[in-house]
């Protein structure tokens, strides 16, 4: 085992010296498209992969990573349980569980392995072990000590990059390799902020409720892994600076994934000057690492079984599929509890499946809390009538983006009808940079021919690529097979509990 770890450490500088090459000479663009079936004035689309995906024609990556596969395979035979994310990554490639990644993913894994090694070496100092005794934080001496910084000696990691580059997969791989007795937590950023606001409500009236909330979070987890870090809400932006000042003071180590570089977080947001100290603290307490791959792995799935239907007149077919999924059950209106006593009305629900017109789920003042509450009670959503997004329904577009994030986080199933393909839905949503490249009006371009419904919104413009990518994966065979396996596992546990009762 020591020899394997020694060889990994020797190889790490070789990884770090390599440039992030995208293998343009080996890779052809792997297009995906939506297969069209004519239905008079409507069309049904389904995501289809390229005829044969030759990801790396010669299965090339780097000599160094290939050399690790043998050792990783040996480790999986019981020589040790866990040796870090880099070894586990190579084991999964050797066993065929993962498609071989690109050099940018390997470069990211060296950073995750660096963090893993430092955490293992500093576990006692960082008080990661749940069973370790915590210092008694009382008395004059301790209050004097608290006036000094108690930052963790280990810096965290902030991973950012384009959609579908494997950020979440790599962070989960890292998280799963950590000892089970550590004070660690992996949570989606939306869910994390909902918990924070709920705790703030609980401690309302205290002189510094954020300090108390930070204490409760750090008592539960010293290592905090936040997926899909993105700040769009002014309330979140104002809370984050003070919250993380307390968290870092209490020794929290942050690992986060995001589509945005730290300096671009909450760009153009209200009162952003109050948010800027958080960005500075984030860069001080985390190693910032970009995943430079241009490959969207979600688009490499073979989506032949999803139900993304284009055409409003296909609502009858959607209802038919919904009825098939609920089986012999009868769909009825229901109410589900979401957060802090609030409830959400479900127009039709049965056997874990919910049916909503788009307007009732995304044209009302709902948010992430409502959507998380919905998917605690339902595993499948049938959504009727997704429109093309523009300036006139900008708020609905924001909610739809959040909805897809929550569906994806919960690995739920989506059936829907829409006015266009995922790309079509967001064709009128532009970032500021994209808007600057639109050709100005000329005498040959009349005002009438201009797009009057264009929506220039940086947060929405950046989020649209993630949403398009996730809609693609949600309709893939692989995703739906995973969903079916998850449901089967839940049913088996329920049946087992019934037998034991």
């Amino acid at each position: 085992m020591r020899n394997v770890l020694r060889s990994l450490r020797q190889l790490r500088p070789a990884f770090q010296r390599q440039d992030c090459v995208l293998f343009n000479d080996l890779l052809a663009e792997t297009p995906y498209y939506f297969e069209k079936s004519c239905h008079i004035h409507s069309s049904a689309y389904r995501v289809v992969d390229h005829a044969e995906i030759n990801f790396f024609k010669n299965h090339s990556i780097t000599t160094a990573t290939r050399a690790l596969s043998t050792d990783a395979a040996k480790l999986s035979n019981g020589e040790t349980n866990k040796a870090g994310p880099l070894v586990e990554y190579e084991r999964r490639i050797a066993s065929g569980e993962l498609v071989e990644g690109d050099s940018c993913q390997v470069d990211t894994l060296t950073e995750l392995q660096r963090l893993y090694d430092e955490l293992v070496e500093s576990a006692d100092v960082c008080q990661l072990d749940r069973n370790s005794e915590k210092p008694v934080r009382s008395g004059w001496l301790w209050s004097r000590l608290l006036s000094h910084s108690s930052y963790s000696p280990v810096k965290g990691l902030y991973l950012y990059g384009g959609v579908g580059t494997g950020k979440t997969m790599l962070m989960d791989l890292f998280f799963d390799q950590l000892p089970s007795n550590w004070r660690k937590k992996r949570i989606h950023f939306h869910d994390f902020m909902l918990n924070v606001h709920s705790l703030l409500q609980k401690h309302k009236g205290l002189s510094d409720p954020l300090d108390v909330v930070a204490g409760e979070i750090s008592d539960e987890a010293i290592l905090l892994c936040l997926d899909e870090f993105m700040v769009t809400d002014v309330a979140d932006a104002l809370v984050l600076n003070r919250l993380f000042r307390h968290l870092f003071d209490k020794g929290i180590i942050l690992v986060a994934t995001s589509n945005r570089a730290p300096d671009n977080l909450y760009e153009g947001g209200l009162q952003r000057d109050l948010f800027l100290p958080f960005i500075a603290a984030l860069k001080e307490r985390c190693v910032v690492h970009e995943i430079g791959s241009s490959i969207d792995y979600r688009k490499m799935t073979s989506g032949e079984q999803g139900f993304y239907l284009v055409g409003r007149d296909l609502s009858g077919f959607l209802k038919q599929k919904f009825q098939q999924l609920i089986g012999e059950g009868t769909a009825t209106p229901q109410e589900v509890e979401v957060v802090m006593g609030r409830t959400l009305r479900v127009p039709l629900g049965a056997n874990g499946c919910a049916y909503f017109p788009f307007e009732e789920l995304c044209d009302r003042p709902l948010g992430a809390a409502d959507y998380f509450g919905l998917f605690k009670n339902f595993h499948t959503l049938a959504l009727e009538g997704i429109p093309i997004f523009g300036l006139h329904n900008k708020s609905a577009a924001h909610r739809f983006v959040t909805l897809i994030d929550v569906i994806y986080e919960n690995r739920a199933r989506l059936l829907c009808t829409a006015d266009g393909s995922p790309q079509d839905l967001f064709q009128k949503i532009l970032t500021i940079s994209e808007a600057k490249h639109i050709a100005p009006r000329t005498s040959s371009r009349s005002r009438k021919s201009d797009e009057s419904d264009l929506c220039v919104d940086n947060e929405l413009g950046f989020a649209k690529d993630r949403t398009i990518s996730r809609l693609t994966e949600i309709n893939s065979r692989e995703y739906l097979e995973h969903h079916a396996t998850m449901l089967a596992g839940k049913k088996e546990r329920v049946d087992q509990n019934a037998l034991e009762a």
Side-chain angles (χ1 to χ4, degrees):
M1 174 60 197
R2 291 177 181 173
N3 291 335
V4 172
L5 289 176
R6 191 179 299 113
S7 65
L8 283 172
R9 292 191 180 97
Q10 290 170 349
L11 282 169
R12 194 169 305 146
F15 289 135
Q16 293 169 340
R17 287 193 300 270
Q18 290 172 5
D19 293 329
C20 188
V21 182
L22 297 181
F23 298 103
N24 290 330
D25 56 332
L26 296 175
L27 283 170
E29 283 287 320
T30 308
Y32 77 106
Y33 55 92
F34 289 81
E35 185 171 85
K36 184 176 180 181
S37 303
C38 293
H39 292 271
I40 307 176
H41 297 296
S42 64
S43 306
Y45 285 69
R46 59 185 177 87
V47 183
V48 183
D49 61 329
H50 195 264
E52 289 185 349
I53 298 176
N54 295 321
F55 180 43
F56 285 143
K57 291 184 180 178
N58 299 312
H59 302 285
S60 300
I61 182 166
T62 60
T63 304
T65 52
R66 176 64 73 194
L68 285 172
S69 297
T70 303
D71 290 334
K74 288 179 181 177
L75 287 168
S76 68
N77 292 331
E79 291 182 23
T80 187
N81 289 328
K82 296 173 181 178
L86 190 56
V87 173
E88 175 62 14
Y89 180 79
E90 285 298 319
R91 184 199 68 77
R92 293 186 188 184
I93 288 175
S95 66
E97 295 174 49
L98 286 178
V99 175
E100 187 158 9
D102 56 32
S103 59
C104 295
Q105 280 196 348
V106 175
D107 191 41
T108 302
L109 278 160
T110 64
E111 286 294 337
L112 287 165
Q113 185 71 39
R114 183 271 309 168
L115 178 57
Y116 175 90
D117 290 344
E118 290 184 11
L119 289 171
V120 169
E121 292 171 5
S122 306
D124 291 339
V125 178
C126 296
Q127 296 186 333
L128 282 163
D129 193 335
R130 289 187 183 278
N131 302 316
S132 64
E133 292 186 9
K134 300 176 186 177
V136 179
R137 304 191 177 193
S138 63
W140 176 85
L141 178 60
W142 185 254
S143 67
R144 296 286 293 175
L145 289 173
L146 279 180
S147 64
H148 301 288
S149 171
S150 55
Y151 286 167
S152 167
V154 177
K155 281 194 173 186
L157 187 60
Y158 182 94
L159 302 174
Y160 75 97
V163 298
T165 51
K167 298 183 295 295
T168 298
M169 181 274 290
L170 294 173
M171 186 178 77
D172 286 346
L173 190 151
F174 161 79
F175 186 83
D176 292 342
Q177 289 296 294
L178 300 171
S180 58
N181 62 316
W182 278 12
R183 291 157 64 197
K184 60 176 184 173
K185 185 168 188 175
R186 187 272 189 209
I187 187 171
H188 191 277
F189 180 73
H190 272 317
D191 217 358
F192 173 74
M193 290 310 300
L194 288 173
N195 291 344
V196 167
H197 287 296
S198 179
L199 289 172
L200 284 174
Q201 187 68 23
K202 172 184 171 184
H203 299 300
K204 187 177 180 181
L206 297 179
S207 59
D208 190 354
L210 276 171
D211 186 32
V212 178
V213 169
E216 292 184 359
I217 292 172
S218 61
D219 283 344
E220 181 185 0
I222 284 294
L223 181 64
L224 183 61
C225 296
L226 298 181
D227 192 29
E228 297 290 355
F229 202 110
M230 56 179 175
V231 187
T232 58
D233 184 85
V234 64
D236 289 349
L238 296 177
V239 161
L240 281 170
N241 180 37
R242 291 176 54 216
L243 173 65
F244 271 88
R245 187 177 70 222
H246 288 306
L247 286 174
F248 289 140
D249 275 340
K250 296 176 190 302
I252 279 282
I253 303 161
L254 175 66
V255 180
T257 68
S258 179
N259 290 342
R260 312 291 295 274
D263 289 330
N264 295 332
L265 288 171
Y266 196 51
E267 192 172 27
L270 294 173
Q271 297 182 301
R272 190 172 187 260
D273 56 321
L274 300 178
F275 180 74
L276 294 179
F278 167 72
I279 295 177
L282 184 66
K283 291 161 72 174
E284 179 188 352
R285 296 307 312 154
C286 293
V287 174
V288 177
H289 178 82
E290 180 181 9
I291 304 180
S293 177
S294 63
I295 301 162
D296 185 343
Y297 290 94
R298 296 189 191 118
K299 292 179 181 177
M300 294 175 63
T301 53
S302 49
E304 298 175 353
Q305 297 181 11
F307 293 94
Y308 184 103
L309 310 171
V310 175
R312 293 257 172 158
D313 58 340
L314 291 176
S315 60
F317 181 69
L318 182 68
K319 288 175 180 173
Q320 178 186 339
K321 294 307 299 181
F322 176 75
Q323 187 60 48
Q324 288 176 7
L325 290 175
I326 65 175
E328 296 179 358
T330 301
T332 58
Q334 300 182 19
E335 280 196 355
V336 296
E337 186 174 344
V338 286
V339 67
M340 291 185 283
R342 283 173 49 200
T343 59
L344 174 67
R345 181 182 177 276
V346 180
L348 291 173
N351 293 346
C353 302
Y355 194 103
F356 276 86
F358 177 85
E359 292 78 10
E360 291 199 32
L361 203 53
C362 297
D363 252 352
R364 295 171 54 207
L366 303 177
D370 304 284
Y371 301 147
F372 273 109
L374 177 65
F375 289 104
K376 283 179 182 176
N377 294 274
F378 297 93
H379 56 71
T380 297
L381 171 66
L383 188 62
E384 181 182 338
I386 305 170
I388 302 294
F389 297 115
L391 187 61
H392 75 286
N393 58 2
K394 172 182 169 181
S395 296
H398 275 286
R399 294 190 192 100
F400 180 70
V401 165
T402 301
L403 174 64
I404 297 302
D405 283 343
V406 174
I407 288 174
Y408 188 82
E409 175 69 13
N410 285 275
R411 311 307 289 178
R413 180 169 49 188
L414 174 69
L415 294 79
C416 63
T417 61
D419 288 351
S421 70
Q423 291 90 341
D424 293 338
L425 298 182
F426 292 94
Q427 63 185 344
K428 297 179 182 179
I429 306 294
L430 305 175
T431 62
I432 294 173
S433 176
E434 289 170 339
K436 288 179 180 177
H437 290 87
I438 295 178
R441 184 182 295 108
T442 65
S443 58
S444 61
R445 292 181 67 230
S446 68
R447 183 179 298 271
K448 183 178 179 181
S449 65
D450 276 344
E451 283 284 3
S452 60
D453 198 31
L454 287 179
C455 175
V456 180
D457 183 310
N458 256 1
E459 288 300 330
L460 197 54
F462 281 109
K464 69 178 180 181
D465 288 338
R466 180 180 73 252
T467 305
I468 291 168
S469 177
R470 287 185 165 179
L471 280 170
T472 303
E473 185 178 356
I474 286 170
N475 280 279
S476 71
R477 184 185 69 245
E478 291 86 351
Y479 182 96
L480 292 170
E481 286 175 350
H482 181 275
H483 176 85
T485 301
M486 182 181 70
L487 288 188
K490 285 183 178 179
K491 184 178 185 303
E492 186 177 336
R493 288 192 295 273
V494 170
D495 292 344
Q496 184 64 34
N497 292 336
L499 288 173
E500 294 174 356

